[in-house]
Amino acid sequence: MRIKVLLDRLTSCFYPGRCPYCNTIITPNSLCCEECAKNITQEDIINKEIYCSNVSPFRLDGMYKNAIYSMKFSNRPGYAKQLAMPMVASVKRIYGEQLENIDYVAYVPTTKKSLHSRGYNQAYLLAKYVAMLLDIPCKDLLLKIKENDTQHLLTRKKRKHNVENVFGFNNRYNIKDKNVLVIDDIYTTGSTLNECARVLLESGASKVLCTTYVTAVAKNRIENDFYISEDFSQDINEN
Ligand SMILES: [Zn+2]
């Protein structure tokens, strides 16, 4: 543990943390800068799917939207640690004791095309830090076995169909009776996480919980359908 702390300090000299909300330099273990900290309010938005449930600390709005978009679209992978921190806080509050039985942290895999153009999978980076903060191993349990259309160009109904059978289980692992926490960046219709959970459960997992940094679902969820804010439809969730 001491070596880890030492390495952390050494790394922070070369790679200082940045506030994901205003990009000023901060110490790597802080959530954000002092100014932005005054404006942060965690909401713990919960959504239940057929095969899993999801919690997000924030809505896809304002400073939270800017932060995740910067990480995702403006080459800021270094924000991952700071963005993972409130996810861990939400997960601890909402899942509570269930967390003690989580065996693996997994993440939504991205397309090869997206990985190539962006250079990183933001869901993996978030998962890496969530796993580290929770002290649970992070594994590539899910594989993208089919390249699908970009989700954000599709309607809600088509999104659901678009993710069917695109994820496969990584057979290097045995997850019989194991519990998995799946990480993604943005929760939209829930179809991506629901499909990931289905694959894990069919591969033997006993329970799947999920967390994303933000959720795009508005407060009023009407008769099993979602209201998704319009400005959201443009450019997110390529998984
Ligand atoms: Zn700031």
Side-chain angles (χ1 to χ4, degrees):
M1 199 62 184
R2 269 186 189 170
I3 290 174
K4 199 179 157 291
V5 172
L6 201 69
L7 275 175
D8 258 10
R9 284 189 186 160
L10 209 63
T11 313
S12 67
C13 296
F14 299 106
Y15 303 102
R18 293 248 174 206
C19 172
Y21 308 106
C22 70
N23 205 40
T24 55
I25 291 177
I26 53 168
T27 54
N29 290 327
S30 5
L31 181 70
C32 61
C33 76
E34 283 180 21
E35 268 313 298
C36 292
K38 292 175 192 163
N39 302 318
I40 288 187
T41 316
Q42 286 205 218
E43 280 194 67
D44 296 342
I45 305 137
I46 302 164
N47 279 288
K48 291 215 179 353
E49 295 303 323
I50 299 170
Y51 299 110
C52 58
S53 55
N54 182 65
V55 64
S56 310
F58 308 115
R59 288 179 193 285
L60 185 75
D61 199 13
M63 62 196 280
Y64 315 114
K65 180 176 165 179
N66 290 339
I68 195 70
Y69 274 23
S70 296
M71 186 198 171
K72 190 166 180 168
F73 300 115
S74 304
N75 197 25
R76 292 280 180 194
Y79 287 172
K81 188 175 182 182
Q82 270 67 37
L83 301 191
M85 288 178 192
M87 292 168 77
V88 168
S90 286
V91 152
K92 282 184 176 171
R93 264 195 301 271
I94 301 304
Y95 297 141
E97 286 177 4
Q98 295 183 81
L99 271 186
E100 288 167 23
N101 302 318
I102 295 290
D103 300 283
Y104 297 117
V105 167
Y107 53 90
V108 177
T110 191
T111 61
K112 279 189 184 136
K113 196 176 143 199
S114 169
L115 196 61
H116 185 74
S117 63
R118 188 170 297 152
Y120 55 92
N121 173 6
Q122 65 284 349
Y124 163 69
L125 293 177
L126 292 170
K128 189 176 93 170
Y129 285 108
V130 167
M132 201 177 87
L133 293 165
L134 289 173
D135 203 16
I136 299 170
C138 178
K139 302 285 181 192
D140 52 341
L141 299 183
L142 292 158
L143 303 171
K144 192 112 185 194
I145 53 172
K146 200 172 92 183
E147 300 278 302
N148 55 341
D149 291 332
T150 309
Q151 284 281 77
H152 69 257
L153 299 173
L154 307 171
T155 60
R156 174 164 163 31
K157 261 189 186 162
K158 284 185 179 167
R159 276 170 185 249
K160 199 175 171 190
H161 181 68
N162 190 44
V163 293
E164 277 169 15
N165 304 313
V166 299
F167 302 111
F169 177 65
N170 187 345
N171 285 320
R172 276 170 45 207
Y173 302 101
N174 179 359
I175 55 164
K176 193 171 180 330
D177 302 327
K178 302 287 185 193
N179 300 315
V180 183
L181 176 67
V182 181
I183 312 296
D184 202 3
D185 52 357
I186 300 166
Y187 176 99
T188 51
T189 60
S191 44
T192 298
L193 285 173
N194 196 46
E195 182 63 8
C196 287
R198 187 188 65 79
V199 168
L200 292 170
L201 291 168
E202 277 186 4
S203 306
S206 162
K207 188 193 280 182
V208 178
L209 301 173
C210 305
T211 181
T212 61
Y213 176 71
V214 281
T215 184
V217 182
K219 259 179 188 163
N220 47 335
R221 194 175 161 174
I222 309 157
E223 290 176 13
N224 293 328
D225 209 344
F226 299 103
Y227 169 77
I228 296 172
S229 57
E230 287 194 358
D231 64 342
F232 161 70
S233 61
Q234 297 299 313
D235 47 6
I236 60 167
N237 208 341
E238 293 189 1
N239 292 308

